[in-house]
Amino acid sequence: MWDSILSALPLLFSPAVLLAMAGGATIGVLIGALPGLSATMGIAVLIPLTFTMDPLVALGMMAGIYNGAMYGGAIPAILLRIPGTPAGIATVFDGHPMAQKGQGLEAMKIALTSSAIGGSVSALALLFLSPPLAAMALKFGPVEVFWLAIFGLAAISVLLSDAPIKGLISACLGLVIGMVGIDSMTGNERFTFNVMDLMGGIDILVLLTGLYAIPPALTLAQEAMLLSRNSIGSGGKTRSGIGWRRLMPTWCRASVIGVIVGIIPGTGGNIAAMLSWNEARRVAKDKSRFGKGAPEGVAAAECANNADNAASLIPALTLGIPGSSVSAVILGGLLVHGMLPGPDLFTRSAPVTYGFILAMLVTSIMLFVIGRLGARLFINVMYMPPLLLAPIIIALTTIGVYAINNSLFDVWLMLTFGVMGWGMERLKIPLAPAVLAVILGPVAESSLRRAMLIGRHEVSYLFSSTIAIVMVTIIVLTVLVPVIRRLLTHYRGRPSKLAMASDPERARQRFEP
Amino acid sequence: MRQAVVETGVALAGAVLSVFGLIHALGFTRDSAYLPTVVMGLLTLLLVVWAVRSALTLRHEGGDSIRLAPGHVRRFFTLLATSIVMIVAAPRLGFATTFLLFVPLSGMLLGYRKGKWLVVTAIIFSLLIYLIFQVVLDRPLPPEMALRVFTGI
């Protein structure tokens, strides 16, 4: 591992990669600061543009955007009471009251420092936990890989939505999209309807860009939220002095919560931030300060949602199972650059993989500098008119997708997926299971076929190893989670903390003073 | 309009399409048909269950309603329509040239009224696109009409 890290360092500190990381972090903060845009959308728009770049330059930029956007979401959460990203919801609780007291800039400083600390801890967790997990994945045969893919799909379909049936519908749609094209094992056409452009299958980039970049643009134009200078304010000038030492225990707890939540597929930064904020309030001597502008509340939420970032990539990089929509998009980015997730990533592509992991660490540190220097710029970006921003996003994605294969068909397909994604969001059907299914569907199918060949078409072969039985048990438990949640809600008469954390609106109603 | 009405309609339409998909998948050769058949069958089942649940919600509670302001609908379709026109025009006019027209036109039709900013944004954005894709990344894109008009190349 250390050899790989040492070989990655010169690549990482080349001028192009450093520039890409700094640019990515700045773009990320700008994207996060704009309500309605997310890290997932930013990376989805960027991937087609990085298609021709060196892999580490492209991945360094993605790392910057990911970390930057997660902090950027705190800016409108603090100043406007509107979380820029879903993970910023818990920041609203104490961040906005601080801004109302004239401590907006202090709240932003706490958010920035906490984000940088959370992001760094998460990157270290990714660096040290991934190689052993990848080594373990080497022992997996086709049966285990099949069940692992099914587990990934089941977890994200069931846990990501309040109505698991919608998550499963999304996963099935993704599986169908993943099957379009010529079957690599038999050479037969599937769902191509004799359309030549569909013979090669649907490019993951076209799907990602369509599902994650077009719906926010359509929503921006539709809702046309205009902000006046009065509604934002300058962040305030009151200086009460931040007790940095007092925040240290909060950062430690929040980092651990963020990393653990990040590793679990189907969760996300919003859940990490909510759980961490709740934990900070639980251990506080004076609980009544929370929700009224407690600095620990901002630190807990922001540290946890950034500690979730790199940790959510652990199952994605080692096992090929992205646990969230943004890690699914990053996985798509790796695939575009010819890097197959799994143990190979840590052997054949080790320098670039470790370079990317270190980029997650470096961009977390860079974020601190960029956030301090550009605070005023990031506040001003919230004035950007959405009615002008929406066509720019559409234009950028159009040329980005066209440039991949010089195919206008891909652009039409992207727009179709975009409208489909917009409709799915309106119907509260999660998008992530569909994307994950496109990635995992072919993996599951080829592993199943190989397993059946080895097992001479005996279904019992699928349950022949201990790992397989453990995985099937976990899958069954995962699928039962909604039932358990419903039973708990029924007996307690109120939803569980996790259920509330996964639903920002419900969380706001429950916790906000 | 009730959310449950929309959900029931979408689920039923999806179920019908899914049945067609299932019939289509049954026509694949044996090895290629296994997963598509299972997935299309499961999708049909899930969509039917969703339709039934939405219909029951409608019958018992009525469910939440969807409120769409006329401005929301207009802006949504305006951006969609201008995007379609842009995609049709881009290979003929060149991408940067099309964006030079698309960005201010869409912005204006969506309701943005600061003319100076519309023009400035469109020019800067189109120039950046040209520089990034044609000069830096050297992507083989359709020739730019604006370049032909202004330089005669």
Side-chain angles (χ1 to χ4, degrees):
Chain A
M1 184 179 94
W2 293 106
D3 289 344
S4 303
I5 291 173
L6 287 175
S7 62
L9 284 175
L11 297 174
L12 185 73
F13 290 108
S14 66
V17 179
L18 281 173
L19 198 69
M21 288 190 292
T26 312
I27 294 169
V29 182
L30 294 173
I31 288 171
L34 284 162
L37 305 188
S38 63
T40 316
M41 179 261 165
I43 298 170
V45 172
L46 183 92
I47 293 176
L49 309 184
T50 63
F51 187 62
T52 51
M53 289 180 187
D54 185 67
L56 196 54
V57 176
L59 293 172
M61 197 177 255
M62 283 183 216
I65 292 186
Y66 192 8
N67 278 326
M70 215 47 97
Y71 159 66
I75 300 170
I78 291 167
L79 300 180
L80 290 173
R81 202 169 165 266
I82 303 168
T85 58
I89 180 82
T91 311
V92 171
F93 301 158
D94 283 295
H96 190 63
M98 279 185 80
Q100 283 175 320
K101 286 191 242 172
Q103 299 167 350
L105 281 178
E106 288 188 0
M108 280 173 61
K109 270 185 204 167
I110 294 172
L112 179 65
T113 313
S114 308
S115 296
I117 291 171
S120 304
V121 172
S122 192
L124 289 172
L126 176 65
L127 185 65
F128 291 111
L129 294 181
S130 295
L133 201 60
M136 201 176 83
L138 275 174
K139 292 175 188 155
F140 288 10
V143 172
E144 290 80 12
V145 173
F146 169 72
W147 286 121
L148 196 64
I150 299 295
F151 165 66
L153 272 176
I156 209 155
S157 305
V158 170
L159 300 177
L160 214 65
S161 168
D162 257 7
I165 197 164
K166 292 183 178 176
L168 291 169
I169 287 170
S170 175
C172 285
L173 271 174
L175 285 172
V176 175
I177 293 167
M179 279 185 277
V180 172
I182 292 174
D183 180 359
S184 58
M185 287 185 100
T186 62
N188 295 317
E189 289 174 28
R190 296 194 296 193
F191 301 115
T192 57
F193 306 102
N194 294 325
V195 177
M196 276 301 288
D197 291 292
L198 289 176
M199 297 287 179
I202 292 171
D203 198 314
I204 183 79
L205 273 186
V206 174
L207 179 81
L208 285 174
T209 317
L211 284 185
Y212 286 115
I214 303 292
L218 291 172
T219 310
L220 272 181
Q222 193 190 339
E223 293 175 359
M225 193 179 64
L226 284 170
L227 304 171
S228 66
R229 295 226 164 227
N230 296 338
S231 63
I232 295 174
S234 63
K237 285 181 179 136
T238 306
R239 291 180 194 281
S240 57
I242 304 163
W244 293 110
R245 202 172 286 178
R246 209 178 58 188
L247 298 177
M248 276 180 187
T250 309
W251 287 329
C252 292
R253 275 191 299 271
S255 298
V256 174
I257 291 171
V259 168
I260 293 172
V261 171
I263 295 172
I264 303 168
T267 52
N270 53 336
I271 294 182
M274 281 301 308
L275 291 178
S276 174
W277 183 85
N278 202 47
E279 182 60 17
R281 188 176 67 156
R282 194 186 66 80
V283 299
K285 282 179 188 163
D286 181 9
K287 292 182 179 55
S288 64
R289 289 189 308 116
F290 280 77
K292 292 172 189 161
E296 293 91 336
V298 179
E302 277 304 303
C303 184
N305 70 28
N306 270 65
D308 172 271
N309 286 3
S312 73
L313 294 172
I314 295 174
L317 296 188
T318 55
L319 308 170
I321 310 285
S324 62
S325 52
V326 70
S327 55
V329 176
I330 289 180
L331 207 64
L334 290 171
L335 291 172
V336 166
H337 290 283
M339 296 166 72
L340 283 174
D344 273 0
L345 220 51
F346 294 85
T347 49
R348 277 186 215 167
S349 317
V352 179
T353 306
Y354 281 101
F356 171 56
I357 294 173
L358 291 171
M360 288 297 292
L361 179 66
V362 174
T363 49
S364 295
I365 298 161
M366 273 183 172
L367 184 63
F368 183 75
V369 182
I370 290 167
R372 289 301 285 264
L373 294 178
R376 292 282 169 199
L377 165 75
F378 300 136
I379 291 174
N380 281 318
V381 80
M382 288 188 289
Y383 300 122
M384 222 169 143
L387 295 177
L388 214 48
L389 200 59
I392 287 176
I393 294 171
I394 301 265
L396 208 54
T397 50
T398 301
I399 191 168
V401 166
Y402 180 86
I404 302 167
N405 300 316
N406 272 28
S407 161
L408 206 61
F409 182 81
D410 282 353
V411 178
W412 288 117
L413 210 55
M414 174 202 71
L415 191 68
T416 310
F417 284 133
V419 176
M420 189 178 98
W422 178 86
M424 284 168 74
E425 281 185 348
R426 288 292 166 285
L427 295 169
K428 293 176 184 160
I429 299 174
L431 301 177
V435 173
L436 193 61
V438 173
I439 296 170
L440 292 180
V443 175
E445 189 181 19
S446 64
S447 303
L448 178 66
R449 281 170 164 180
R450 270 187 289 152
M452 293 311 271
L453 275 176
I454 297 166
R456 295 181 183 174
H457 295 278
E458 286 288 332
V459 179
S460 60
Y461 182 70
L462 293 176
F463 306 91
S464 57
S465 77
T466 316
I467 300 175
I469 292 167
V470 171
M471 277 181 180
V472 173
T473 314
I474 297 172
I475 292 167
V476 173
L477 289 174
T478 309
V479 173
L480 286 177
V481 163
V483 182
I484 298 166
R485 246 192 225 172
R486 197 165 286 181
L487 283 174
L488 282 175
T489 309
H490 179 75
Y491 284 115
R492 284 180 181 166
R494 63 179 169 84
S496 66
K497 280 173 196 165
L498 191 69
M500 281 190 291
S502 59
D503 182 347
E505 201 42 52
R506 205 156 50 175
R508 190 196 293 237
Q509 286 165 8
R510 166 80 177 88
F511 289 114
E512 217 175 14
Chain B
M1 191 189 276
R2 298 268 171 215
Q3 171 98 14
V5 174
V6 179
E7 290 198 5
T8 312
V10 170
L12 283 175
V16 171
L17 281 176
S18 187
V19 168
F20 281 119
L22 180 62
I23 295 166
H24 181 69
L26 285 167
F28 299 156
T29 54
R30 195 181 142 237
D31 277 352
S32 295
Y34 182 64
L35 193 67
T37 312
V38 172
V39 172
M40 294 310 299
L42 183 64
L43 183 59
T44 309
L45 183 73
L46 289 167
L47 287 164
V48 170
V49 173
W50 185 30
V52 171
R53 281 179 60 171
S54 305
L56 285 176
T57 310
L58 196 66
R59 200 172 162 187
H60 295 304
E61 308 153 29
D64 303 331
S65 30
I66 303 173
R67 285 176 205 281
L68 280 176
H72 281 203
V73 180
R74 185 184 60 78
R75 282 193 292 268
F76 173 82
F77 283 108
T78 302
L79 184 60
L80 200 60
T82 51
S83 302
I84 291 170
V85 173
M86 180 260 289
I87 296 171
V88 172
R92 292 164 181 83
L93 305 180
F95 279 93
T97 312
T98 309
F99 295 160
L100 204 59
L101 304 169
F102 167 71
V103 172
L105 193 72
S106 299
M108 202 176 72
L109 290 173
L110 287 170
Y112 189 71
R113 290 286 172 261
K114 292 180 182 168
K116 188 180 81 179
W117 286 111
L118 279 172
V119 175
V120 169
T121 311
I123 292 172
I124 294 174
F125 179 68
S126 299
L127 267 175
L128 280 174
I129 287 293
Y130 181 79
L131 285 173
I132 293 171
F133 283 89
Q134 302 270 44
V135 180
V136 180
L137 299 177
D138 197 22
R139 301 301 296 164
L141 296 174
E144 294 295 340
M145 183 179 259
L147 212 64
R148 255 183 292 160
V149 170
F150 292 119
T151 63
I153 300 168

